Amino acid sequence: MDKKNALRAGALAAGTTLMMLLMSVPASALTRDDGDDPGTGLSVIDTLGLFVVAPLVLFGVIAGLVMVLDKSKAEHRVLAPKSKPKAASKA
């Protein structure tokens, strides 16, 4: 029974993909539209900076802010199994 369902799902996925490909309009990259005014392209350095370095820096800034501004108490933190929480000093 599982083989029949797998075959049905595969046929459905293949049919859907084929219909999407046949009904989609081909990309017209060489034909300009009205009002189309593309700018200059990005260099390799610009592309790497925009799509690699900038997200990594943004992630680092957000992670750093979360760690620095963490106000949770030590007794509320989740600890690894078989570890004991540090006793709070009551002086």
Side-chain angles (χ1 to χ4, degrees), residues 8-9 17 24 34 43 50-51 54 59 63 65 76 83-84 86 88:
R8 186 180 300 153
T17 304
S24 65
D34 291 337
S43 69
L50 186 63
F51 294 108
F59 176 81
L65 286 172
H76 291 171
S83 65
K84 297 179 182 176
K86 294 180 182 177

Side-chain angles (χ1 to χ4, degrees), residues 11-77:
L12 180 65
T16 303
T17 304
L18 184 62
M19 288 304 292
M20 293 279 239
L21 287 172
L22 290 175
M23 296 185 73
S24 65
V25 178
S28 301
L30 297 177
T31 306
R32 296 278 180 226
D33 291 331
D34 291 337
D36 189 17
D37 188 20
T40 58
L42 295 174
S43 69
V44 174
I45 299 298
D46 292 338
T47 304
L48 288 176
L50 186 63
F51 294 108
V52 175
V53 176
L56 288 175
V57 168
L58 188 61
F59 176 81
V61 167
I62 292 171
L65 286 172
V66 168
M67 286 190 289
V68 168
L69 300 175
D70 182 21
K71 302 281 187 196
S72 64
K73 297 179 181 175
E75 60 266 12
H76 291 171
R77 293 193 181 131

